[in-house]
Structures are given as structure tokens and as C-alpha cells.
Amino acid sequence: MVNENARFLDTGTQVYDFYEEFLVVCPKCAGLARVLIDRDELEKMSKKKIDRLRNLLFAPRRLVCLSCLHRDYRKCTQIAVGGGVDWYFRLPLWLDVPCCGERLWAYNRQYLETLENYVGAKLRERTIEGRRSFLSKLPTWIKLAKNRAEILRAIEKLKAKLPAGV
Ligand SMILES: [Zn+2]
């Protein structure tokens, strides 16, 4: 449950910080699939190049369906960060629902919970780093107090789509 009196402190989480996992719709069975970083390849890259963020963003990705065992693999040399699809396979997100005449989406549980805390808070504050955070760049409709209740209901619907442990 959201604490209606909660205060939210935005410490500057950037959209890049969600590189680790995307929950997507499996292209084969329409079930829940995960897009995950290839840890072995990331380790190899990190030994050669020390640009940590670059390595994290460009390490190859594995697609793993939790329902039909569909697997895929992709190494991208270019990615488009942000938007309502995963950045590697460009698949639709599992956590995506109509809301306030728009679409509310989240990359993963961490993103959804951050959004929930932000939307649910009556008072939003930010550190200097918070000025560049992904929250500061959210569309206006998500920030409006009049949409709060509807957005929180949509977030509840999305949470119900998350199996335990994902
Ligand atoms: Zn599948």
C-alpha cells in the first residue's frame, strides 16, 4: 500500500540505471519473457574497456521466455535508450496498460516500484542529481495530482501481472 503522506526524495536515478532487466512480451507465445544482460560477456568486455556505463549498455542480451522456453540473443552496436519497448529486441513491454488516455509502462519491478513511490507521494523533493533523473523527464500527465488515483490503480494492475520472484 502507498503511504499517502509519503515524501519522495529523487536522488537522480537515470533511465540508464534500468539496463539490467526488461520484462517483455514473448514474440512466440505472448507470455512473459525477460531480457537480461550476458554476465560472462560483460566480464570479458570489462577487462578490455573501462567505460563501465558503455559496457553495461552494450553487453549482449539474452531473451528468455518463462512460458515457452523461447530463447534469443542479441549484440547491439547501437541502442535507443528510453521509450516503451526494450532497448535491444525492441519488443513490447510486459508491464504496459492504458491509463488516463495514455499508456503507463515500466521496464521491470524496480521501475514500477519507483514510479509507485513517486506518484503516491504528496511531497516530491529532489537532490541536485535529481534534476537529471528519469522521473524529472516523465510526461506531465504522470506528474499531475488529479491523475494520481487512476495511475495508482493502473500500477496495482501491473503489479498483479508480476509473478513472485520476477
Ligand atoms: Zn514464449
Side-chain angles (χ1 to χ4, degrees), residues 3-163:
N3 176 0
E4 284 280 314
N5 299 311
R7 136 180 197 277
F8 182 89
L9 181 64
D10 186 352
T11 53
T13 302
Q14 300 210 21
V15 73
Y16 302 112
D17 295 325
F18 297 100
Y19 65 86
E20 205 150 352
E21 178 191 56
F22 297 86
L23 302 175
V24 298
V25 178
C26 172
K28 293 271 175 334
C29 77
L32 168 59
R34 300 166 97 170
V35 174
L36 299 163
I37 195 162
D38 183 334
R39 292 266 156 215
D40 295 338
E41 285 302 314
L42 175 65
E43 204 171 302
K44 282 183 210 160
M45 289 165 76
S46 303
K47 281 177 189 155
K48 278 186 257 167
K49 281 197 215 128
I50 50 167
D51 185 338
R52 185 174 170 274
L53 180 61
R54 210 190 141 71
N55 288 343
L56 289 173
L57 290 177
F58 287 96
R61 268 25 188 206
R62 293 180 194 287
L63 175 78
V64 181
C65 178
L66 303 185
S67 308
C68 78
L69 305 179
H70 173 59
R71 298 283 186 272
D72 204 350
Y73 192 81
R74 194 153 295 175
K75 180 157 178 51
C76 297
T77 51
Q78 282 192 321
I79 57 170
V81 169
V85 293
D86 88 88
W87 307 338
Y88 300 90
F89 298 88
R90 313 297 296 174
L91 289 168
L93 298 173
W94 179 254
L95 300 174
D96 185 331
V97 73
C99 179
C100 304
E102 307 278 348
R103 300 207 67 89
L104 188 75
W105 50 261
Y107 293 129
N108 53 37
R109 184 184 290 273
Q110 186 201 354
Y111 189 107
L112 188 63
E113 287 177 355
T114 307
L115 205 57
E116 181 180 38
N117 292 333
Y118 175 81
V119 172
K122 285 263 160 69
L123 182 62
R124 295 170 189 156
E125 297 176 312
R126 58 193 185 201
T127 62
I128 291 171
E129 292 77 21
R131 283 188 299 202
R132 291 182 301 137
S133 80
F134 84 100
L135 294 162
S136 68
K137 293 171 190 154
L138 287 173
T140 306
W141 68 269
I142 296 184
K143 299 177 180 177
L144 294 177
K146 72 177 173 75
N147 290 335
R148 178 183 285 130
E150 187 174 344
I151 295 171
L152 290 175
R153 278 197 300 275
I155 289 173
E156 283 306 312
K157 272 187 224 161
L158 292 179
K159 284 169 94 178
K161 289 183 74 182
L162 279 174

